[in-house]
Amino acid sequence: MSIRLGYQIPNFSYGGPVADLFPTVIAQAREAESSGFDTVFVMDHFYQLPGLGQLDEPMLESYTALAGLATATSTIQLSALVTGNTYRNPTMLAKTVTTLDVVSGGRAVLGIGAGWFELEHQQLGYEFGTFTDRFARLGEALEIIAPMLRGDRPTYEGKWYRADGAINEPRFRDDLPILLGGSGERKTFGFAARYADHLNIICNADELPRKMAALADRCEESGRDRGTLETSYLASVILDEDGDRARRLQREYLGVRGVDLDAMSASERAAATARQFVGSPDEVAEQLRTRVLDHGIDGLVINMAVNGHTPGVVELAGRTLRPLVGG
């Protein structure tokens, strides 16, 4: 398993009827598959996230959507970025992602994190708890899920979860990969060092040197060779053959969300766009190389909430970015 170039679909607000929604998702996944992306991701949320849209905008259940994409694609890996641990019992999650692996012919990746969106939990009836609670639950869940993915039958008794010889059959393989996603330098990175094949880092680009140093420390504490844990960075990309048009799209997108870049100081603009990479293909490639990859990150996961659903845009991104990460 390697994730060098991933495409995340965070937005299902395409402006057409519901009947056209999933065909548009499939079109993006197929375009990603044919243009050099190795993985397609969806978010594991039930409401649209603040900053991306209104809460009641369309949001698909992640594993149902991924199973649908499995039948519409043939080679690209499939994952949630990332599964909220609080939404599912760990034995059920192990079974769900293993079934996705069977359905897809060995293309599933378990992306997982502690969960963070409190409003979803409150309104849908999931226990949220404290920050400490959520990470304790994630640690317990991984003690159950990881062996189930390998074909073991774990027995575990924790504060939050239990299992008694849990069986997970059938399995397509015994090495279904685990991806941890987040920014926490102690807990998330520590779990990644202990359990994961891949860590997706979510942060402002200028924080990457510190994040990479913290990851090296967690690997050393766990007795793991840092080189055995692959990394990627989650980037929001607004790409167009015309760089000025891409910047106009950025201003329009942010303006609808109450962010007026033209009214900000240079430092305020930098803070508001710290995770965005905007411009022509050459401009975006240079930004991602110098701001991300030059810090030792192995790969990129991009989302294109502004125009990724427009035919040809994902293909342009794949053609632009694949050479940066090998291949």
Side-chain angles (χ1 to χ4, degrees):
M1 187 279 298
S2 181
I3 299 172
R4 290 304 179 97
L5 188 60
Y7 179 66
Q8 183 203 39
I9 304 174
N11 177 27
F12 303 113
S13 300
Y14 304 136
V18 172
D20 293 342
L21 192 159
F22 200 64
T24 304
V25 175
I26 289 173
Q28 291 175 76
R30 287 175 170 167
E31 201 169 304
E33 183 174 56
S34 66
S35 61
F37 289 88
D38 50 53
T39 312
V40 65
F41 298 90
V42 297
M43 299 197 303
D44 185 33
H45 286 288
F46 305 103
Y47 294 172
Q48 182 55 279
L49 301 185
L52 285 171
Q54 299 300 312
L55 293 174
D56 59 355
E57 289 183 18
M59 182 56 57
L60 299 177
E61 194 282 316
S62 61
Y63 282 95
T64 310
L66 289 168
L69 290 178
T71 66
T73 58
S74 58
T75 60
I76 200 163
Q77 297 175 121
L78 302 165
S79 183
L81 190 66
V82 287
T83 310
N85 177 64
T86 45
Y87 298 134
R88 297 168 188 82
N89 178 282
T91 55
M92 181 64 185
L93 178 55
K95 186 67 175 178
T96 299
V97 73
T98 302
T99 299
L100 176 63
D101 206 45
V102 172
V103 170
S104 65
R107 293 186 283 133
V109 176
L110 172 61
I112 190 169
W116 64 271
F117 193 9
E118 185 173 7
L119 182 65
E120 274 183 341
H121 292 74
Q122 290 175 346
Q123 294 195 352
L124 298 177
Y126 294 104
E127 184 173 1
F128 189 64
T130 65
F131 176 88
T132 299
D133 288 342
R134 293 195 301 280
F135 276 93
R137 292 171 68 178
L138 177 60
E140 288 192 10
L142 287 166
E143 289 284 343
I144 295 170
I145 294 168
M148 288 183 69
L149 298 185
R150 310 294 178 251
D152 296 330
R153 299 183 177 186
T155 294
Y156 181 85
E157 188 77 39
K159 177 180 178 180
W160 300 97
Y161 303 119
R162 61 177 295 275
D164 185 6
I167 298 171
N168 189 23
E169 299 290 346
R171 295 180 317 284
F172 189 87
R173 51 182 168 159
D174 291 335
D175 58 352
L176 194 160
I178 296 174
L179 174 156
L180 264 289
S183 61
E185 297 173 14
R186 295 235 38 113
K187 294 183 180 293
T188 297
F189 289 14
F191 285 141
R194 290 173 58 192
Y195 297 103
D197 302 280
H198 189 100
L199 173 66
N200 179 255
I201 299 175
I202 304 171
C203 66
N204 292 345
D206 61 4
E207 298 176 293
L208 280 170
R210 188 183 79 241
K211 299 294 183 186
M212 297 301 284
L215 179 59
D217 289 342
R218 301 296 85 76
C219 287
E220 183 176 2
E221 292 163 2
S222 298
R224 179 169 184 174
D225 178 356
R226 163 66 187 85
T228 66
L229 178 57
E230 189 179 70
T231 58
S232 62
Y233 175 78
L234 179 62
S236 294
V237 169
I238 305 174
L239 181 67
D240 192 275
E241 291 282 13
D242 181 341
D244 289 336
R245 174 171 166 74
R247 285 179 280 274
R248 286 197 299 272
L249 288 171
Q250 178 191 38
R251 279 174 161 74
E252 292 168 4
Y253 179 78
L254 293 175
V256 170
R257 288 154 181 80
V259 179
D260 184 356
L261 293 180
D262 295 323
M264 292 179 169
S265 67
S267 61
E268 289 172 333
R269 281 196 301 273
T273 61
R275 301 182 190 183
Q276 294 183 346
F277 301 80
V278 182
S280 68
D282 287 346
E283 289 171 330
V284 168
E286 179 66 9
Q287 292 167 32
L288 286 166
R289 184 184 65 79
T290 58
R291 293 173 57 194
V292 176
L293 296 173
D294 282 355
H295 294 299
I297 293 285
D298 298 311
L300 301 167
V301 177
I302 70 164
N303 59 45
M304 306 184 79
V306 175
N307 62 345
H309 59 284
T310 302
V313 170
V314 175
E315 189 278 332
L316 176 62
R319 178 159 39 92
T320 299
L321 302 179
R322 188 69 213 185
L324 295 180
V325 294

